[in-house]
Amino acid sequence: MSTSPATCAILARASVRRRRRAAVAEQLIARAPHAVDTLDWDALNGAPEWMGWGPEPLDALQLQVGALMLAPELRLWIDAPRLAAAMRALGAPMLRALLALPDSEVLPRDVAPAPHIERAEQVAPALRACGAAVLLAALAAGELRQAATLLLTPARPSSMASALARSLVARATHLAAQLAAPNAQEVA
């Protein structure tokens, strides 16, 4: 008996959902075991992919999302120490890509409260905290957001609209994926 292409597609999507749900559960069990008690498999179905990532990729995402959020400020920096700290936190390709974004792709400065970064040692923590706040804002209030809070740098959700936060996360993820592609073009 052969399986139709439509059935295969449904089974493939279900398999992807199960793997994502299991990855999220695994991260929560490892890093926030008490959060697992409040969630069921249905709640995990609504979890974004990043909740299943390990600490290092999740930290990188927080930095990238925070940098995209703070791009208006980053683009004004001319001092070497802060720029060098941003390069260490994000990597040269990501920093160059953010600095090269056209004005139309950068959020206005006052979309949500953001820290003012005056010193190099403030760069990575501020990017991380801002990114965590945006990631949390992308989730609906409830148990899933509370669980996500335990996976991220200590932060409260940003006051920005959830749709805007989801858009920012998607843009940061897309930009990082473009830069990671084998034939990624050098961003001037």
Side-chain angles (χ1 to χ4, degrees):
M1 174 199 254
S2 69
T3 307
S4 74
T7 302
C8 288
I10 290 169
L11 292 173
R13 283 192 302 272
S15 177
V16 167
R17 269 194 320 271
R18 278 192 304 275
R19 280 195 305 274
R20 182 175 25 151
R21 209 172 38 194
V24 171
E26 183 180 318
Q27 288 304 314
L28 288 171
I29 289 167
R31 296 172 42 211
H34 55 284
V36 178
D37 297 338
T38 64
L39 299 173
D40 59 17
W41 289 111
D42 288 335
L44 293 178
N45 268 339
E49 183 180 356
W50 56 260
M51 282 185 70
W53 294 357
E56 288 154 11
L58 188 53
D59 185 57
L61 180 63
Q62 289 178 83
L63 290 165
Q64 293 159 355
V65 171
L68 196 52
M69 169 75 184
L70 297 175
E73 181 176 345
L74 281 145
R75 293 169 58 155
L76 297 175
W77 294 350
I78 58 172
D79 59 298
R82 285 188 298 179
L83 289 169
M87 190 175 300
R88 282 190 304 276
L90 299 166
M94 178 60 83
L95 180 60
R96 281 195 303 272
L98 287 168
L99 295 176
L101 286 174
D103 289 343
S104 62
E105 292 184 28
V106 176
L107 290 177
R109 287 181 65 102
D110 297 328
V111 167
H116 182 68
I117 303 168
E118 296 177 4
R119 296 183 317 277
E121 61 272 8
Q122 296 172 312
V123 172
L127 295 178
R128 195 174 285 113
C130 224
V134 171
L135 289 167
L136 291 173
L139 297 171
E143 285 116 4
L144 193 58
R145 182 190 277 178
Q146 290 173 337
T149 301
L150 300 171
L151 295 176
L152 301 171
T153 292
R156 293 171 39 142
S158 172
S159 60
M160 71 173 46
S162 289
L164 179 58
R166 285 190 300 276
S167 170
L168 199 60
V169 172
R171 287 176 55 210
T173 304
H174 178 73
L175 185 58
Q178 281 183 318
L179 294 171
N183 10 343
Q185 294 178 351
E186 188 73 20
V187 176

